Amino acid sequence: MLPPGVSLASTSVTAPLDLTGHWVGVFGLAVFVVAYLLVMAEEFTHLRKSKPVIIAAGLIWGTIAWVYVQHGLPHAAEVAARQNLLEYAELMLFLLVAMTYINSMEERRVFDALRDRLVSSGLGFRSLFWITGILAFFISPMADNLTTALLMCAVVLAVGGDNSRFVTIACINIVVAANAGGAFSPFGDITTLMVWQKDMVDFWTFFALFLPSVVNYLVPAALMHFAVPNERPVADGVAVTMMRGARRIMLLFLATIITAVCFHNFLHLPPVLGMLTGLGYLQFFGYYLKKTTHRELQSASDADGETGDVVAFDIFRPIARAEWDTLLFFYGVVASVGGLGFMGYLAMASDLMYTQWGATTANILVGLLSAIVDNIPIMFAVLTMNPDMSIGQWLLVTLTAGVGGSLLSIGSAAGVALMGQARGNYTFFGHLRWAPAIAAGYAASILVHFWVNEAYF
């Protein structure tokens, strides 16, 4: 009952069956497309994006395993699925630690204090436009583009909530800046993290993308500058103070990043082991904060006589508040794309894109596709294809996949999140109006990359 391409295939576990012409292959592709259409419609359906892709992953691997069992290869799909789960587990645990640190700093009011400092600065809208953009660009490499965008958007809404024109342009600027800033750091975006953990690009080599990323942000920001209202907001005068331990948690996060880099670069261990070790740093410090809560209570009592806002630090609260929908969505994407690759579709795509079109054209197209489809499945597909490319081309696809999502508001997690946070002000069509300016930055960053990083090609 199998088509010729399958029936003549080798029965060796090391030679997967070509299912691209089989009904199971067509079914798997259709399931993934339907699931991703539901993901893209999340803003309207309010269906969490992790749900459809998790179902799609189960259906894809279930049908693959059924065909392999029928063909006398009962363990081939199992081996491939386990490899997929290992890749996902490394990335999921890495991101979980990073999210825990970010949530801990948020709980200790680090970001509230930063927002208060900017709101009370007395600066005009144009100055705040540039400050929030620059901060988003430089915070994103250490945190992630989603968290950074939400933080800066909170600042924008606090200072210009009544001025929809300023909020719209500032949100576009933040999305572009956060995505551009995340492109030159292994910690700035999931796609860069994936490339680093796959050893396609060395940790320090990522910083060769700094200048192209700067250009990607500055070109559209300069074009949008004169559309920002030349007015000055009014501060509310409410001061915010960081809670005890905030600065030490920031230092521990830096120590965790250093540990992960050292584990990977010098000990040749997966960086996730360094991150989990860093989680241990936070756990021990959290134990100290919990045992010394009486100092915080005494400090609050001496300040204003009120102690109701003081809550003992519990490490499992920040862990529980991690973006679990994003982490589970990531599982569904990795498993689904891995299944499609095991069927043979990624080999077909690799031959078309990287053999027939050429690496440069293919990598630029990857960035354009990431404006429509999330960059996570795009980059995972490229890594699974594993085309034979120079370091310069791997840097190019890292850049384009990272910043291409800025072309549309739905093209990145930062844009989608801000459409919800600044609902009514930051919209799909409001972002689309400035797509030509963002596209100019996209093209300019690619040209700068070819110029300044010529030695890597």
Side-chain angles (χ1 to χ4, degrees):
M1 293 175 64
L2 297 174
V6 174
S7 61
L8 298 178
S10 168
T11 58
S12 170
V13 174
T14 57
L17 305 177
D18 182 5
L19 299 179
T20 54
H22 189 251
W23 70 264
V24 166
V26 177
F27 172 77
L29 197 61
V31 165
F32 183 70
V33 170
V34 171
Y36 224 86
L37 288 175
L38 289 173
V39 170
M40 295 172 67
E42 180 185 16
E43 180 189 0
F44 309 103
T45 62
H46 304 292
L47 177 71
R48 294 279 190 174
K49 60 181 178 292
S50 62
K51 297 177 182 179
V53 290
I54 286 178
I55 295 294
L59 290 174
I60 289 170
W61 278 105
T63 52
I64 289 174
W66 183 84
V67 169
Y68 272 78
V69 169
Q70 296 298 311
H71 208 60
L73 298 169
H75 299 294
E78 176 191 358
V79 171
R82 286 185 186 277
Q83 181 61 35
N84 249 246
L85 284 173
L86 177 61
E87 294 181 6
Y88 165 71
E90 288 189 15
L91 289 167
M92 186 274 283
L93 290 172
F94 190 106
L95 291 170
L96 180 61
V97 175
M99 289 176 177
T100 300
Y101 265 101
I102 295 299
N103 290 340
S104 297
M105 288 189 281
E106 184 179 2
E107 182 179 312
R108 297 284 102 181
R109 307 184 75 177
V110 171
F111 301 130
D112 288 339
L114 174 61
R115 181 176 61 192
D116 174 65
R117 181 70 61 88
L118 290 174
V119 170
S120 61
S121 62
L123 299 172
F125 282 141
R126 288 187 174 179
S127 297
L128 288 168
F129 169 84
W130 283 102
I131 290 173
T132 53
I134 291 171
L135 284 174
F137 183 86
F138 284 105
I139 292 175
S140 184
M142 295 178 288
D144 62 86
N145 52 4
L146 174 59
T147 302
T148 303
L150 290 172
L151 167 64
M152 291 297 107
C153 183
V155 175
V156 166
L157 291 174
V159 299
D162 296 332
N163 194 315
S164 60
R165 183 181 173 191
F166 167 70
V167 172
T168 299
I169 298 177
C171 285
I172 298 170
N173 184 53
I174 288 168
V175 170
V176 174
N179 289 337
F184 71 86
S185 165
F187 298 90
D189 195 3
I190 294 176
T191 54
T192 57
L193 177 61
M194 292 163 71
V195 173
W196 179 46
Q197 292 205 134
K198 278 284 192 177
D199 279 326
M200 298 303 182
V201 179
D202 180 73
F203 181 85
W204 301 109
T205 307
F206 278 99
F207 295 96
L209 292 175
F210 176 74
L211 190 56
S213 297
V214 169
V215 171
N216 181 269
Y217 161 61
L218 287 180
V219 170
L223 293 173
M224 290 188 289
H225 169 79
F226 295 102
V228 179
N230 191 15
E231 302 172 15
R232 189 181 301 274
V234 179
D236 57 14
V238 179
V240 176
T241 305
M242 290 189 293
M243 295 174 68
R244 189 172 66 95
R247 292 180 177 84
R248 281 170 285 182
I249 289 177
M250 287 189 279
L251 290 175
L252 288 175
F253 188 34
L254 178 60
T256 298
I257 293 173
I258 293 172
T259 303
V261 173
C262 290
F263 270 44
H264 188 64
N265 285 6
F266 303 120
L267 303 179
H268 307 289
L269 291 170
V272 65
L273 290 180
M275 291 297 287
L276 287 170
T277 304
L279 181 61
Y281 304 160
L282 182 60
Q283 286 181 301
F284 269 98
F285 183 65
Y287 175 78
Y288 165 76
L289 287 178
K290 190 172 184 178
K291 288 297 184 181
T292 57
T293 305
H294 62 277
R295 299 181 186 177
E296 204 165 356
L297 291 169
Q298 184 62 46
S299 176
S301 178
D302 292 342
D304 55 15
E306 297 290 336
T307 60
D309 292 335
V310 176
V311 179
F313 183 83
D314 181 359
I315 183 63
F316 292 103
R317 273 203 309 270
I319 292 176
R321 289 175 48 240
E323 289 288 334
W324 286 102
D325 182 54
T326 299
L327 294 174
L328 293 174
F329 166 74
F330 192 32
Y331 156 74
V333 166
V334 168
S336 297
V337 174
L340 294 176
F342 193 62
M343 290 177 177
Y345 283 111
L346 295 186
M348 291 175 57
S350 178
D351 179 67
L352 174 65
M353 294 174 63
Y354 288 96
T355 302
Q356 299 181 35
W357 295 351
T360 299
T361 302
N363 290 333
I364 293 174
L365 180 62
V366 163
L368 298 177
L369 286 174
S370 70
I372 304 170
V373 180
D374 192 273
N375 57 6
I376 295 173
I378 297 289
M379 180 56 80
F380 186 75
V382 173
L383 290 169
T384 305
M385 294 176 196
N386 194 19
D388 184 16
M389 299 191 298
S390 64
I391 296 297
Q393 290 292 351
W394 278 110
L395 287 172
L396 175 62
V397 74
T398 300
L399 174 69
T400 56
V403 304
S406 300
L407 291 166
L408 297 176
S409 63
I410 61 171
S412 66
V416 172
L418 262 59
M419 281 195 294
Q421 189 177 16
R423 189 179 302 276
N425 291 315
Y426 175 63
T427 63
F428 176 85
F429 291 104
H431 189 108
L432 187 64
R433 179 185 174 190
W434 290 99
I438 300 169
Y442 180 75
S445 64
I446 293 172
L447 292 175
V448 170
H449 172 58
F450 279 112
W451 173 47
V452 301
N453 295 322
E454 183 180 2
Y456 289 109
F457 287 90

